[in-house]
Amino acid sequence: DGGITQSPKYLFRKEGQNVTLSCEQNLNHDAMYWYRQDPGQGLRLIYYSQIVNDFQKGDIAEGYSVSREKKESFPLTVTSAQKNPTAFYLCASRRDYGYTFGSGTRLTVV
Amino acid sequence: AQSVTQPDIHITVSEGASLELRCNYSYGATPYLFWYVQSPGQGLQLLLKYFSGDTLVQGIKGFEAEFKRSQSSFNLRKPSVHWSDAAEYFCAVTPMEYGNKLVFGAGTILRVKS
């Protein structure tokens, strides 16, 4: 079945370390998105990519980086510059106005 | 400021009672409108969407939503709530001036009491 796979489901890192969250889709969607979810704040857009080898900053890009070398993959790196990285991260892909979401990665920084 | 507002952070309803979750948006042109549901620790599932046409939209799991242009609202309703409906519900829009990006409300947590 087609869908989006985010891995790992839970991730623990020490403060000051960079960490990369994986997002893979087999839906053949051109556009992919990364959202951050915090309690009571909904989902906020971090980065998005409309096409391979191109991506744009969302509303809260500081402290994050992405790459889009393949259509299927859109990894997100949470760098040590992100002041409050503990959160739930959701990846999504889109064709037309149909969005598909992954099941998320919960990142805890200790 | 342009935004999506879900005024109720938490709502508790009795099983079998009706439900209405509110959503208002403040964008110049009417955006595309969505309702998603999220169970704890999971991704988002689309309940329904409105692009144009009939302002009463039917979705999955017995949900419906009504678009009211004059009130910039897109409220979600269900005539009889089941215990399995307990979850968090998000209203989202794709404002025309923002391209194809989804903008979310803060969410409403629904609790169902027996």
Side-chain angles (χ1 to χ4, degrees), chain A residues 1-102:
Chain A
D1 288 337
I4 294 184
T5 301
Q6 289 189 242
S7 61
K9 190 170 179 65
Y10 299 96
L11 191 54
F12 295 87
R13 279 295 181 267
K14 290 185 179 180
E15 193 171 338
Q17 290 182 335
N18 292 356
V19 61
T20 297
L21 283 59
S22 170
C23 177
E24 303 279 335
Q25 55 104 354
N26 60 5
L27 299 165
N28 201 34
H29 289 177
D30 286 317
M32 297 186 74
Y33 303 79
W34 273 106
Y35 286 89
R36 170 180 172 140
Q37 184 177 10
D38 297 282
Q41 297 193 50
L43 282 74
R44 293 178 291 167
L45 182 63
I46 304 172
Y47 267 99
Y48 64 103
S49 168
Q50 306 273 36
I51 199 169
V52 175
N53 292 322
D54 187 49
F55 49 83
Q56 287 80 41
K57 293 181 179 180
D59 301 317
I60 56 166
E62 184 175 352
Y64 300 97
S65 66
V66 294
S67 63
R68 186 84 187 279
E69 297 176 0
K70 299 186 301 181
K71 189 175 188 177
E72 302 78 19
S73 179
F74 191 41
L76 173 74
T77 296
V78 184
T79 74
S80 56
Q82 169 49 232
K83 298 189 186 311
N84 186 18
T86 294
F88 190 58
Y89 291 87
L90 280 164
C91 178
S93 69
R94 178 185 62 80
R95 166 172 284 176
D96 297 327
Y97 284 94
Y99 297 83
T100 302
F101 285 84

Side-chain angles (χ1 to χ4, degrees), chain B residues 5 7-8 12-13 16 26-27 29 35-36 39 44 48-49 55 58 62 73-74 79 87 97:
Chain B
T5 302
D8 302 305
T12 300
V13 299
S26 58
Y27 293 96
W35 274 100
Y36 288 90
S39 297
L44 274 65
L48 46 77
K49 59 190 177 187
T55 57
Q58 300 300 318
S73 69
F74 189 55
E97 55 266 50

Side-chain angles (χ1 to χ4, degrees), chain B residues 86-100:
Chain B
E88 189 162 14
Y89 292 79
F90 291 96
C91 179
V93 310
T94 53
M96 298 307 174
E97 55 266 50
Y98 284 11
N100 295 322

